[in-house]
Amino acid sequence: MVGDKAREEMNAFQRNESKETLFTFISAGDDPPKGDFPVQKKSPKLCGSNYPLSIAFIVVNEFCERFSYYGMRAVLTLYFINFFHWDENLSTSVYHAFSALCYFTPVIGAIMADSWLGKYKTIIYLSIVYVVGHLIKSVGAIPSLGNQVVHVVLSMVGLFLIALGTGGIKPCVSAFGGDQFEEEHTSERSKFFSVFYLSINAGSLISTFVTPVLRGDVKCFGEDCYPLAFGVPAALMVLALVVFIAGSGLYRKTPPEGNVLLEVCKCIGFAIKNRLKNRSRQIPKRDHWLDWASEKYSKKLIGEVKMVTRVLFLFIPLPMFWALFDQQGSRWTLQATKMNADFGIYVLQPDQMQFLNPLLILVFIPIFDLGLYPLINMCKFNFTPIRKMATGMILAGMAFGLAAIVEVKINNPAEYSKLILNGEQQSLHFTLQHQGLSLGFNYTVKEKSVYSLIVFEAEGSLSSRLITDLEAKPENGLAAVRFINGLSQDVNLTVDSKRFIAIQKNYSVSEYMLLERDKYDDGRCITEAGEFTLDLGLLDFGASYTVVITNMSRGALQIWKSEDIKANNVHMAWQLPQYLLISAGEVMFSITGLAFSYSQSPASMKSVLQAGWLLTVAFGNAFVLIIAQAAPMAQWAEFVLFTVLLFAVCIIFSIMGYFYVSVDPEDLQEKEEKRETPSRGNMISLITQKTKL
């Protein structure tokens, strides 16, 4: 039974959280395509149980695919910044454009599966597209392959194919797994979905922890190993496709059933078009604007579309939640790059913090279902679905409020004297007084730039040099160091056995060198007088250093080290509260929202609501893209803006929910059918009377 299947899927939703939603289109009145389809054989069972052997292949496929997707996406933002050298706003925009596309394409995959190819072939064909996208993306990350234009083109093509593949199979895999069960095995099907969602979160959890390690801790081509970080997810996707094909002989493959989403869109379009054509006052009004579709579509379909549009109207404010939630992989990851990642026994990569979300989801689901919600019910508080979703929004807003506070704490500016210029650049006169002598120097400075003035004695007289400093912390938690040669002879420096620097004499300045956080006590300095040990000590996360080589005495090199930009003094652990809040908000918002929308729609329309739900995620990511490009601002201010926007949307959603009246779709459908019973006003009434003879 279609209705039984939908209810079983909903039960799985109420007990399990994942990054995905079920998204299977079910026919609403259309006849299935005609033709001779083979009778579905029963699949072999697992160990004598009622579980089909075929589901093992589907679960392994889903684990590998989710590992592939989330592992690739975990390192994507830092890839744009460090490999393409894009700024933070552009990197964030492209990241969310990709995420939005991944949630628009499920509609394409669902239409292909239900109207043309069927679920099995759709999964196969789009998985091939998925694999090709991963391979192109991995090749595009090889530094020696072409110039940056080639890298960008290959990466964008790869991301487009990945979005088409992952989004296209999203509505098919879970539904295809449900198709493997006979209708009498509803409890086994429900437990399958539990295992299915566990595989999703397991793939996400492992990949978001492992892939950043492959990126940051493994070096290839002299830098972070992005080809490996993208290549491993590509290999997992190849494995996912191979595993899925290996189970081909065991699957129950149902034919396409027709696509209800297209019917709903056509019905709504016809109603609007028909209403616009009949705007004359002489034409009688109708109770509902969808009633204008009655000339072409059945009363049953129109009644079901009415029920769906009531819920879809409540979906309008929901994209704002996803706009905040999906910034874990963009803005929050960039924030982590400016924090201290040393946990003592382990140094965490900034993009590894994303693994907290799937981990906390797995922890929170049983706590909420078995502890929090029953406790609230015992307190006689009517914690309705609308209130749960509004609470989830509030928690997400609070998470971004904490992120704003952390960002303010991180961005304590370096101690520089600030000057107000007359224009974009200005010539400044500096006067130096030393031992009764007064010397003047002129330098031209530019606005929004940072400088240091070096004063030194050369050939018995004072001299100076104005050098440009870093304006912001080094990216990705690296340390920046430059050298000033105060000796009267040229020097050659070796810092980490790989970096060689030649600096001329008399206070010449080297370029900045970016290094991993570490102690550098085995460097070498070669001069005309000989070779010396160069001990720089600890170069910490996000700090900028100037090292002045001052003297050589007693066979040792004398240096003076200045910390121009302070090291990251805010620990990455301070991100934990915001991850706790937004993960708790996801459990209350996402699971509850899906359960509520399912309970408010007829069985044949549940797939339409799944489409609407996925589109709220897509529009949320599109909104982040717009903000990042149209209104660039300080990062803490952007966090505050999103907090205020979500609180405002939460108020609007609460008001909409207050006036929303929950209904039983079956009862509402019965009322529609009674109201639609033809009137007998124009019929001859025949009344039978008893006649007494």
Side-chain angles (χ1 to χ4, degrees), residues 397-468:
M398 292 171 60
F400 263 65
L402 291 180
I405 295 173
V406 171
E407 190 70 23
V408 170
K409 193 69 177 176
I410 288 173
N411 290 327
N412 285 331
E415 297 180 358
Y416 283 88
S417 298
K418 295 183 179 180
L419 301 176
I420 299 176
L421 305 183
N422 297 328
E424 294 183 358
Q425 63 181 27
Q426 182 178 342
S427 178
L428 299 179
H429 180 75
F430 296 87
T431 301
L432 303 178
Q433 292 184 349
H434 177 67
Q435 296 180 351
L437 298 176
S438 180
L439 300 174
F441 305 95
N442 292 318
Y443 291 105
T444 299
V445 296
K446 298 179 180 179
E447 64 176 355
K448 299 180 181 179
S449 298
V450 183
Y451 300 93
S452 291
L453 182 64
I454 304 174
V455 180
F456 56 93
E457 184 176 354
E459 298 178 357
S461 63
L462 286 180
S463 185
S464 67
R465 180 171 293 164
L466 191 70
I467 58 177
T468 304

Side-chain angles (χ1 to χ4, degrees), residues 452 454 467 469 479-487 491 493 495 501 503-504 507-513 515 520 525 533-539 543-551 557-564:
S452 291
I454 304 174
I467 58 177
D469 296 350
V481 60
R482 65 180 173 184
F483 297 90
I484 299 177
N485 181 13
L487 303 179
V491 298
L493 304 179
V495 177
I501 306 173
I503 313 175
Q504 295 180 350
Y507 290 90
S508 295
V509 184
S510 72
E511 298 292 332
Y512 278 103
M513 175 189 300
L515 299 170
Y520 294 88
C525 177
T533 300
L534 179 64
D535 185 0
L536 300 178
L538 176 65
L539 303 182
S544 172
Y545 300 93
T546 297
V547 177
V548 182
I549 303 173
T550 58
N551 196 7
L557 192 68
Q558 305 294 321
I559 64 170
W560 176 75
K561 185 172 73 172
S562 169
E563 190 178 46
D564 303 329

Side-chain angles (χ1 to χ4, degrees), residues 275-498:
R275 179 67 185 91
L276 294 175
K277 285 183 177 180
N278 297 278
R279 290 177 292 178
S280 175
R281 294 183 179 180
Q282 284 74 27
I283 300 176
K285 294 183 178 180
R286 302 187 183 182
D287 294 339
H288 195 280
W289 63 273
L290 279 169
D291 291 332
W292 289 95
S294 59
E295 283 81 359
K296 184 176 180 181
Y297 294 92
S298 67
K299 298 294 184 183
K300 180 178 182 296
L301 178 61
I302 293 174
E304 291 176 341
V305 175
K306 289 179 183 178
M307 300 179 210
V308 169
T309 53
R310 296 176 71 249
V311 182
L312 291 179
F313 179 71
L314 283 178
F315 281 6
I316 294 176
L318 303 190
M320 187 54 66
F321 174 87
W322 299 114
L324 276 69
F325 179 82
D326 277 346
Q327 290 188 58
Q328 295 175 71
S330 57
R331 295 302 199 191
W332 284 16
T333 297
L334 294 175
Q335 184 183 71
T337 64
K338 298 175 284 188
M339 304 179 76
N340 189 336
D342 189 358
F343 285 81
I345 60 175
Y346 186 75
V347 176
L348 210 63
Q349 296 291 339
D351 37 1
Q352 273 184 298
M353 286 296 288
Q354 299 173 65
F355 91 96
L356 285 175
N357 178 248
L359 176 64
L360 291 171
I361 290 299
L362 295 174
V363 173
F364 281 154
I365 288 173
I367 292 177
F368 280 51
D369 287 344
L370 303 178
L372 180 62
Y373 292 154
L375 181 62
I376 293 175
N377 292 334
M378 290 174 59
C379 297
K380 306 299 182 183
F381 179 74
N382 186 19
F383 205 28
T384 64
I386 297 293
R387 290 174 179 173
K388 288 181 182 178
M389 294 177 69
T391 304
M393 290 181 174
I394 292 172
L395 292 175
M398 292 171 60
F400 263 65
L402 291 180
I405 295 173
V406 171
E407 190 70 23
V408 170
K409 193 69 177 176
I410 288 173
N411 290 327
N412 285 331
E415 297 180 358
Y416 283 88
S417 298
K418 295 183 179 180
L419 301 176
I420 299 176
L421 305 183
N422 297 328
E424 294 183 358
Q425 63 181 27
Q426 182 178 342
S427 178
L428 299 179
H429 180 75
F430 296 87
T431 301
L432 303 178
Q433 292 184 349
H434 177 67
Q435 296 180 351
L437 298 176
S438 180
L439 300 174
F441 305 95
N442 292 318
Y443 291 105
T444 299
V445 296
K446 298 179 180 179
E447 64 176 355
K448 299 180 181 179
S449 298
V450 183
Y451 300 93
S452 291
L453 182 64
I454 304 174
V455 180
F456 56 93
E457 184 176 354
E459 298 178 357
S461 63
L462 286 180
S463 185
S464 67
R465 180 171 293 164
L466 191 70
I467 58 177
T468 304
D469 296 350
L470 285 181
E471 301 174 11
K473 285 180 172 291
E475 298 172 346
N476 204 22
L478 298 175
V481 60
R482 65 180 173 184
F483 297 90
I484 299 177
N485 181 13
L487 303 179
S488 58
Q489 51 187 300
D490 298 342
V491 298
N492 293 305
L493 304 179
T494 304
V495 177
D496 60 350
S497 73
K498 298 178 182 178

Side-chain angles (χ1 to χ4, degrees), residues 17-68:
E17 171 63 14
S18 73
K19 301 291 182 300
E20 313 303 326
T21 63
L22 292 174
F23 190 19
T24 171
F25 284 105
I26 306 167
S27 176
D30 290 343
D31 294 330
K34 295 182 179 180
D36 295 329
F37 295 100
V39 178
Q40 295 297 332
K41 62 180 180 180
K42 291 188 177 181
S43 174
K45 306 299 181 182
L46 279 170
C47 302
S49 66
N50 290 326
Y51 294 96
L53 181 60
S54 57
I55 65 171
F57 294 89
I58 296 173
V59 169
V60 173
N61 164 269
E62 184 66 13
F63 170 83
C64 294
E65 189 275 327
R66 290 293 83 188
F67 186 108
S68 168

Side-chain angles (χ1 to χ4, degrees), residues 6 67 156 181 506 531 548 569 598 644 650 674:
F67 186 108
M156 295 304 106
F181 292 84
N506 294 333
E531 183 174 334
V548 182
N569 57 355
Y598 264 58
V644 173
C650 180
K674 290 180 180 179

